[in-house]
Amino acid sequence: MTPAPMAPLDITAYTVTCALGQGREAAWRALVEGRTGLRPNDLPDCCLPTWIGRVEGLEDLPLGGELAPFDCRNNRLAALALGQDGFLEAARGAVARHGAERVGVFLGTSTSGIRETEAAYASRPDETAALPPGMCLARTHGLFSSVALVQTLVGAAGPALTLSTACSSSAKVFASAQRAMAAGLCDAAVVGGVDTLCLTTLHGFHSLELVSAQPCRPWDAERDGISIGEAGGFALLERPGAAAARVCLLGHGESCDAHHMTAPHPAGLGALKAMEDALARAGLAPAAVAYLNLHGTATPTNDAAEDAAVVSLFGAKLPCSATKGWTGHTLGAAGIVEAVLTLLCIERGFMPGTLNLRRRDPALRAGVLEQSRHAAIGVAMSNSFGFGGNNCSLLFGGRG
Amino acid sequence: MRMRVHGVGVAAPGLEGWLAAQAVLNGQRPYAPSPFAPASPPFLPPNERRRVSATIRLALQVAAEAAGMARAPTAPAGAVFASAWGDLEIMDRILAALARPERPVSPTQFHNSVHNAAAAYWSIGTGSPAAASAVSADQATFAAGLLEAAALGLAEGHALLVAYDAVPPPPLRGLVPISQPFGAALLLGREPAPGAPALELAIGAGPPSALAEPGLEALRRANPAAAALPLLRALAAQGGTVELPYHGGRTVRAAVRPAGT
């Protein structure tokens, strides 16, 4: 069933903090300079041979005062990211304009504050010992904790939830917020996500043999897995206002592969449906898209499946690239990170290349850029495809 | 927001299946909780069936009942899986493995630990490409999931809400206040259907509705997903307005009207 077109939503603020630095300008400079944020794994308690995208300084930014119960790496990054680029002020402005109960908060994450619980398990003298009784799991490990923190900082009291669908989480939040606004539940929404480095994902993906020992190489003939990163990012969605926003959410599409827990559908059928539905909601044909930010994790199967879907829908000429060589795969934050990078590219007329792509896999035919180029972008798409075949595509551009 | 309830699923001690649960909720039968174990989902392929945890089985059991899947495997509706804590059993095993020097994390356990694992197995078992979400909102999880599913149903025609939480394993019992398992599912539709009560949702305020029967009220307080109980009671009675716990002292007010109105 083809979805009906939707009315665009204004994006009136957006920000990202990741391995490239704090805020949009740090990310932008790294994109333009072709400078990766990845580094060899230097986490103190993990000796896996891999490259990671780490945010500097979180160890020195504890949450204090009334926010102390929330203190954990994930919430430190949420607070740090929220404070960049005037985003917190913009969100509070939306609360002042629309009323607290009319501003929603929809955030994605995969592991939230699990690192604290990892430390608690590791500190037990043996496996029958109790965990520290004073731990407030809900405010750290609990999936909702970053949403509660952001609601507190922004003063938002509208609809709120955490979306946790692995790598599509902080892309699907755009769709949830749009549906909540269409249903009349709110007039503005803070969307985004936060995920931080932890042993669970590093060792978990490693056990599945999906982690590369080198910086990830999307679309490369010798690609062999992901580089895990951490990030926090946010966007402010509002109903169209009097002043035309420079960028809008034009459409979204979601689907399931219905295939396998860890392997994508080989022909990318779920990915194809998500991209098609995004175009249908935007009322646009494939030819209207100028640039696509690929999910592009650099696993052999992900890139092959996404390539099949992209070529089937857009042909081999659509300029596209994978930016995970810059940021790493930020899991539950990947959706918002790549949405923000795509918005920056639209505003500044820039198509990034694909870092670490040295020799293209001859079996893959999508128009993947190896080198960056400056070019006007009217409409751009961003893909996020998660474990369990959970897919989301977003379309961004100017209004009308 | 106004929807119709096309199907209901429920699984909890003493409330195994909607038919049995209605009699208890209507006061026709006394509430007699007894331990239960969710069934192995018949609609999953054998490999997947072997791998699903008890928590995932709980979610899939109520999803299948609400979607009318006792017989026919069709499920075109998008789905919202709402769980405050997800699969704590698997989480405990992974965390215990990480605490050992060699960190023997099982790959199967890792991919089953994602919050959307139940949603993924649902899509694999039904073969449905419809979108599926997995959400969490602490003590407001049921109400937040209900709003999310209603908004999805308004947009797409149908939506399946699956709410579930399971008792944590011993190391986490002091830290996660869940003492009974509970699962409930609602198949929501935009259009009227024979026998489908109407459900109107709005944001309200005030104390959440409680249940008069002490055993059922204890169950409601024992599990975030059991916040569904007052709504299930209203559905069994084909009428009534209940307040479901939401954020910051607010509620989701759910008004049930009989089918045909």
Side-chain angles (χ1 to χ4, degrees):
Chain A
M1 207 186 76
T2 308
M6 62 174 243
L9 291 178
D10 284 356
I11 301 175
T12 53
Y14 58 91
T15 186
V16 68
T17 291
C18 63
L20 302 178
Q22 299 174 14
R24 296 156 33 153
E25 294 311 314
W28 171 251
R29 276 195 302 277
L31 280 184
V32 168
E33 293 168 19
R35 177 173 30 89
T36 184
L38 298 179
R39 67 173 79 182
N41 176 22
D42 60 355
L43 289 178
D45 55 351
C46 176
C47 53
L48 287 175
T50 186
W51 287 62
I52 57 173
R54 183 173 176 176
V55 174
E56 288 272 12
L58 289 175
E59 297 76 14
D60 306 318
L61 294 169
L63 296 173
E66 63 169 20
L67 299 180
F70 287 103
D71 189 40
C72 62
R73 188 176 183 87
N74 214 57
N75 286 335
R76 293 181 187 190
L77 180 50
L80 179 66
L82 194 68
Q84 304 301 315
D85 298 319
F87 187 88
L88 184 54
E89 289 72 24
R92 288 176 175 162
V95 168
R97 274 198 306 286
H98 299 287
E101 306 221 344
R102 302 297 301 172
V103 179
V105 179
F106 303 82
L107 301 182
T109 190
S110 70
T111 45
S112 192
I114 201 174
R115 196 158 164 73
E116 306 309 300
T117 322
E118 288 171 358
Y121 270 71
S123 73
R124 288 191 302 177
D126 61 69
E127 290 186 15
T128 61
L131 291 165
M135 290 184 69
C136 180
L137 280 195
R139 294 288 178 92
T140 55
H141 178 160
L143 284 171
F144 187 68
S145 75
S146 297
V147 175
L149 174 65
V150 169
Q151 282 184 303
T152 303
L153 290 171
V154 168
L161 51 72
T162 289
L163 226 145
S164 188
T165 54
C167 322
S168 58
S169 301
S170 56
K172 286 168 72 82
V173 290
F174 283 83
S176 287
Q178 185 272 326
R179 281 190 294 267
M181 289 165 69
L185 288 171
C186 57
D187 301 311
V190 172
V191 303
V194 193
D195 243 341
T196 38
L197 294 165
C198 61
L199 300 176
T200 302
T201 45
L202 281 160
H203 287 276
F205 279 103
H206 180 77
S207 76
L208 284 163
E209 301 182 357
L210 292 173
V211 177
S212 177
Q214 52 181 327
C216 63
R217 299 163 65 170
W219 260 252
D220 195 286
E222 286 165 39
R223 65 189 186 278
D224 64 356
I226 69 178
S227 304
I228 298 177
E230 60 189 359
F234 301 96
L236 183 59
L237 294 180
E238 298 190 67
R239 297 186 192 283
R246 298 220 303 266
V247 277
C248 299
L249 175 70
L250 299 176
H252 57 75
E254 299 166 276
S255 72
C256 286
D257 277 9
H259 176 69
H260 190 271
M261 276 308 288
T262 54
H265 190 289
L269 289 187
L272 181 60
K273 179 176 189 299
M275 293 191 287
E276 285 176 331
D277 283 1
L279 288 167
R281 287 199 177 85
L284 292 174
V289 178
Y291 167 73
L292 165 60
N293 184 302
L294 299 160
H295 183 53
T297 61
T299 69
T301 50
N302 171 85
D303 291 1
E306 187 171 12
D307 188 87
V310 168
V311 170
S312 141
L313 182 58
F314 293 106
K317 295 242 175 66
L318 171 66
C320 50
S321 60
T323 51
K324 288 182 165 75
W326 268 278
T327 59
H329 188 350
T330 55
L331 304 180
I336 187 65
V337 167
E338 288 156 32
V340 168
L341 293 182
T342 302
L343 293 170
L344 276 173
C345 289
I346 293 172
E347 290 214 63
R348 301 183 187 193
F350 180 77
M351 298 182 185
T354 301
L355 287 186
N356 310 320
L357 172 52
R358 295 198 269 288
R359 185 172 73 90
R360 186 184 302 249
D361 182 341
L364 306 183
R365 298 191 296 122
V368 171
L369 302 174
E370 287 163 43
Q371 302 301 322
S372 302
R373 64 169 78 143
H374 291 273
I377 299 175
V379 174
M381 177 178 275
S382 181
N383 286 344
S384 298
F385 305 143
F387 250 16
N390 198 291
N391 309 307
C392 182
S393 291
L394 300 174
L395 270 171
F396 300 109
R399 198 188 324 152
Chain B
M1 291 193 288
R2 188 181 173 93
M3 301 293 299
R4 302 299 198 277
V5 181
H6 291 199
V8 183
V10 63
L15 298 172
E16 294 186 50
W18 182 225
L19 202 56
Q22 283 175 89
V24 173
L25 293 167
N26 279 334
Q28 289 153 6
R29 279 220 319 254
Y31 176 56
S34 57
F36 86 106
S40 184
F43 53 90
L44 277 185
N47 268 347
E48 279 71 21
R49 206 182 312 146
R50 266 189 302 114
R51 291 182 168 150
V52 291
S53 63
T55 305
I56 293 175
R57 285 201 296 274
L58 173 64
L60 295 181
Q61 179 169 316
V62 296
E65 188 183 7
M69 283 215 14
R71 321 246 182 279
T74 56
V80 175
F81 283 75
S83 178
W85 289 97
D87 198 328
L88 289 170
E89 187 87 41
I90 281 192
M91 194 52 55
D92 170 71
R93 300 251 178 86
I94 291 175
L95 292 168
L98 289 172
R100 299 202 197 120
E102 64 282 10
R103 294 192 168 147
V105 175
S106 146
T108 302
Q109 280 183 354
F110 177 66
H111 73 60
N112 277 359
S113 75
V114 292
H115 199 60
N116 61 304
Y121 281 113
W122 174 250
S123 70
I124 291 169
T126 59
S128 170
S133 274
V135 305
S136 177
D138 207 14
Q139 293 301 111
T141 297
F142 178 75
L146 180 58
L147 290 180
E148 178 79 5
L152 180 63
L154 274 178
E156 303 303 316
H158 282 95
L160 179 67
L161 168 68
V162 186
Y164 65 100
D165 266 292
V167 177
L172 292 166
R173 263 180 214 163
L175 300 173
V176 177
I178 300 177
S179 56
Q180 302 277 359
F182 192 94
L186 299 175
L187 179 63
L188 303 176
R190 201 171 48 203
E191 308 303 327
L199 177 63
E200 285 166 14
L201 301 175
I203 305 297
S209 302
L211 292 152
E213 205 284 335
L216 288 173
E217 176 63 9
L219 179 59
R220 187 185 72 85
R221 290 166 179 265
N223 186 312
L229 275 169
L231 175 55
L232 293 176
R233 191 173 182 288
L235 287 168
Q238 291 256 342
T241 298
V242 299
E243 308 285 344
L244 305 169
Y246 199 44
H247 305 296
R250 284 179 313 288
T251 61
V252 168
R253 179 167 301 148
V256 175
R257 311 258 179 270
T261 54

